[in-house]
Structure formats: structure tokens, C-alpha cells
Amino acid sequence: MVKKLSILGSTGSIGKQALEVARKLSIDVVALAAHSNIKLLEEQIREFRPSVVAVYNEELANELSMSIKDLPIKVLGGPDGICELAMNEKPDIVLNAIVGIAGLMPTMCALKAKKHIALANKETLVAGGNIVMEEAKKQGVNILPVDSEHSAIFQCIQGMHNFKELKKIILTASGGPFFGKSINELKYVTPRQALRHPNWNMGSKITIDSATMMNKGLELIEASWLFNMDYKNIDIVIHKESVVHSFIEYIDNSVIAQMGLPDMKIPIQYSLTYPERFESTVNELDLTKYGSLTFCKPDYKTFKCLNACMLAMAKGGASCAVANGANEEAVKLFLKNKISFTDIGDLVYEVVDRYNNIDINSIENIFEADKFSREYVIKATI
Ligand code: NDP
Ligand code: MG
């Protein structure tokens, strides 16, 4: 089990639950980072007493350093501060729970410092899969999945004899709040309605991604990198109850699933205790309370983001970074009521389709593709 832990994005939904796990397992939290919520960060600092903290917003980093000057804690600021913290030599593992592409550089910094990563920040692998996986291999460090579907697959393959025996990955998706709705019904969905997820309580960006099903597209790309699996062998199945967190299928058609209540503390904890298991604060799963579990195919026509991600995978290169960047920008615009809900899928698909694909040879290529996609979305919506 991990003894010393750094958390990037400690004030978010995953970050807060990771701290609950750390509290329960008495893991020493040595570093914390956030973007701007210094009020909550200070509370976390006073409870967990890390030796270093970082705040992306430099002005707020200065403010925080004044308010905790009674404590012997180093306060870093800005993007470089986040990276410096990610490279800190103290932790056994760095949990990256930053949202969006902002998580990419900190992941790379941690990998370069030979730190194992517990990865919640899926955008890191979506945008920079080949570079990130290569760096992890070069440095000989593990990237342990936190996302519930990827943790499920990771748990299912424990003890697997040979990777060649794994035929398929089947990702489950709750379908979000708008499962079964038509495009016409979705046109007038408001941010408030889209922010109400039936099964999971998450940050706003991933909640919108779940409603558009972009989240499942991002997860398909993430799974492909994490498990070295061709995206054509990754299926998506709608499973409204969110009890089966994903399946794998072996070449003999034997199927293995991982189940549990929909609570992120289980996969977060497993990423920190792997390969061991410890008691959890999450309740037992009582399947009799559900009676039946349902499974059906996704509606690719209505939820266009899924097709956009598959197109990005088919194009390869920097197209996945383009899909991710376009989506991040479109979600921001939707949350500000500047575009409609269905515009998100239309825009992401259009940008990926029009993008003149390049291979990713460096981190700069990723950021160029990201910039292109954001500018495209902004121009298209003025
Ligand atoms: P939240 O929006 O709740 O939290 C995001 C966290 O990242 C906050 O602590 C925020 O700080 C911090 N942050 C944002 N930008 C930066 C930055 N540039 N530098 C440092 N910190 C930053 O998101 P979630 O916790 O929901 O999601 C985090 C990641 O985990 C996402 O990639 C998401 O897709 C993934 N994930 C989340 C799941 C969930 O259940 N929530 C499930 C599976 C995956 P501040 O509070 O100061 O703004
Ligand atoms: Mg997930």
C-alpha cells in the first residue's frame, strides 16, 4: 500500500474523496495542489499537514501563503509550481485529479521524476496517449487507473496469463440523464438539467461529458492506451444502474465483470492499495435491491460525441487531442449558455472531421492541436 501520497486537484470531487480514503487508511498526504479554491485547500492543509502545496493561480498562492504562515509549509504558485510539486521526491505515488488538459504537463513532470501515477485525469491520455505511455515505460513507472471503468478492467485482468488471451473490452455507460431522448428533445436542454447526473456526483465538466456521452468516447481512447487495445475491440454498452463497472472478454468468450456500488472511493482506494485490498467505507453491493440489471446499445446518432471520438481514433495522431480540446471549449460555452447542448457534439465532430491530421512527436504537437481545436470552436460560435 502507498504510504506517502501527493494529490493534484485535491479540492475537486475526486480529490476530496481521495482525502477521505487517505484519512481512513492513515496514508501520509505529503503534497496538495489546486487551481484556486484556497479556502478549502487551507482546511485540507490544516488537517493533513502536507509539507508542500501549490496553487495554479499565483495571486491566490500568495494569499494562501500569508494565511498559513503559522505552518512550516512551502507554497508554490503557477503552472511551474504545480509541476515542481508533481516532481516532489517524497510521495510513493501522485494522484492526478486535475480536470482537463491542464493535467497533462503535471503528469509528464511526475513521470520524468519517476513517480508512479494514480490517474483520474483522463484528458492526459486522450490528448497525449503515446507520449505519456512511452514516458511511463521509459521511466519504469506504473500508471494506475482511477476512472471506475478502467479500474474495473484493471481488476478483471489481474492474474491474466497472457495479454493475447484478452479479446475485448466492454465499457459500461450509465447513458447519463438524457438516455433515450431524441436530438430534438436535446436541443433545448439547459446546463442545469445537464448537470443533474442520475448515479454519480462529479465535477461539472465530467458531468456534462456524461450527459453528451463524450465521457464514454474519452474513456474509449483512455482504455485503448492503458490496455494497449485497438479501439475496434472496445465496445460500449449502456447499463443504467452503474453497478457493473466494465467487462472483459477472453478469446474463449468467457466474460469477467467487476461490480460494486457506484462510488469512486472503491477505484480510488484500489489505485492506492494495489495489489493489496483493504476494508472500505463504501457499503456492500446488495444485488437483490436492484432485482434486475439492464444492458443495451448506445444511440450513436443522437450522441454525436461518441462518433467524434471514434473518428478521432480512426484518424489517429493528434486527432484525439483535437476532439478533447474542442470538447473542453464547447462545454465551457454551453455552461455559459452561449451554445446549445447538441452544438457540443456537432462542433466536436466537425473539428475532428476537418482537422488535417499530424502525428504526435512531441508535447508541443499536442498543445498545437489543442489550440487549433479551441480556436476553431470559438470562431465557429461567434
Ligand atoms: P472537479 O472539477 O471536481 O475538480 C477539479 C480539480 O482540479 C479541482 O481541485 C481544481 O482546483 C483542480 N484544477 C483545475 N485546474 C487545475 C490546474 N491547472 N492546476 C491545478 N489544479 C487544477 O473535477 P473532478 O474531480 O470531477 O474530475 C477530475 C478528473 O477526474 C477529470 O479529468 C475527470 O474526468 C476525472 N474523473 C472524475 C470522476 C468523478 O467521479 N468526479 C470519475 C472518473 C474520472 P479548484 O477547486 O481550485 O478549481
Ligand atoms: Mg468513468
Side-chain angles (χ1 to χ4, degrees), residues 122 147-150 200 206 215-216 219 222 264:
K122 60 190 81 184
D147 211 342
S148 59
E149 294 75 2
H150 306 76
W200 299 95
I206 185 178
N215 186 46
K216 216 44 60 179
E219 289 183 356
E222 185 187 10
M264 285 307 295

Side-chain angles (χ1 to χ4, degrees), residues 98-260:
I98 291 176
V99 62
I101 188 120
L104 178 60
M105 280 316 285
T107 299
M108 290 302 287
C109 291
L111 289 175
K112 289 201 164 120
K114 295 195 189 305
K115 296 282 129 202
H116 296 299
I117 312 249
L119 191 66
N121 175 252
K122 60 190 81 184
E123 297 88 348
T124 279
L125 280 181
V126 170
N130 64 334
I131 297 257
V132 172
M133 294 310 286
E134 255 170 43
E135 193 64 35
K137 201 168 159 200
K138 185 171 141 198
Q139 303 293 350
V141 300
N142 295 331
I143 298 184
L144 297 165
V146 171
D147 211 342
S148 59
E149 294 75 2
H150 306 76
S151 174
I153 297 157
F154 185 60
Q155 294 182 55
C156 290
I157 63 173
Q158 292 309 306
M160 183 170 63
H161 175 66
N162 182 341
F163 249 100
K164 287 193 183 131
E165 294 171 357
L166 182 62
K167 186 168 84 177
K168 238 193 220 177
I169 287 174
I170 302 129
L171 295 174
T172 52
S174 71
F178 307 130
F179 172 73
K181 296 240 186 293
S182 67
I183 293 188
N184 276 342
E185 286 172 299
L186 290 182
K187 272 194 181 132
Y188 304 103
V189 154
T190 63
R192 224 172 127 185
Q193 289 168 316
L195 283 169
R196 235 180 279 135
H197 194 278
N199 304 343
W200 299 95
N201 187 7
M202 311 176 286
S204 56
K205 193 252 172 189
I206 185 178
T207 307
I208 301 300
D209 287 350
S210 299
T212 60
M213 292 207 66
M214 182 70 186
N215 186 46
K216 216 44 60 179
L218 297 175
E219 289 183 356
L220 180 128
I221 302 169
E222 185 187 10
S224 170
W225 285 114
L226 274 174
F227 304 107
N228 195 18
M229 175 68 78
D230 188 325
Y231 79 99
K232 291 185 196 116
N233 298 329
I234 306 177
D235 287 350
I236 296 169
V237 168
I238 303 288
H239 165 51
K240 280 178 85 169
E241 297 80 11
S242 297
V243 164
V244 178
H245 298 305
S246 279
F247 309 86
I248 58 164
E249 188 173 303
Y250 283 113
I251 47 174
D252 62 357
N253 291 346
S254 177
V255 175
I256 308 209
Q258 186 264 340
M259 302 195 216

Side-chain angles (χ1 to χ4, degrees), residues 21 45 51 70 109 150 177 185 273 330 370:
V21 172
I45 291 167
S51 51
D70 55 311
C109 291
H150 306 76
E185 286 172 299
T273 65
D370 180 72

Side-chain angles (χ1 to χ4, degrees), residues 9 11-14 34-37 56 97 120 122-123 147 202-203 264:
T11 52
S13 158
I14 294 287
H35 185 280
S36 47
N37 187 351
Y56 187 89
K122 60 190 81 184
E123 297 88 348
D147 211 342
M202 311 176 286
M264 285 307 295

